[in-house]
Amino acid sequence: MNGFFDIPSDLQYGYFGLIGLHLREALLPVLAGLLVALPVAQFCVRFRWLYAPCSA
């Protein structure tokens, strides 16, 4: 069991480096989604015909 809980050797990062890598890989898609979703939402508010019709 020697080395069982070690960091994988191909990453070459410490724990803080892995946390930074994880945050970068998690937050970049979120920011990209916001960059797309917020302008679309603004267009939907400004031009009501873009907004999906309600079923009620």
Side-chain angles (χ1 to χ4, degrees):
M1 286 260 173
N2 192 8
F4 184 72
F5 292 106
D6 286 345
I7 298 172
S9 62
D10 59 332
L11 292 175
Q12 303 298 319
Y13 290 110
Y15 287 114
F16 292 112
L18 288 173
I19 291 170
L21 180 67
H22 171 73
L23 287 175
R24 185 171 50 238
E25 289 180 351
L27 293 178
L28 283 178
V30 171
L31 292 176
L34 282 174
L35 284 175
V36 172
L38 290 177
V40 170
Q42 287 294 322
F43 277 113
C44 287
V45 168
R46 182 174 296 228
F47 305 110
R48 283 295 201 194
W49 56 272
L50 285 176
Y51 195 78
C54 60
S55 60

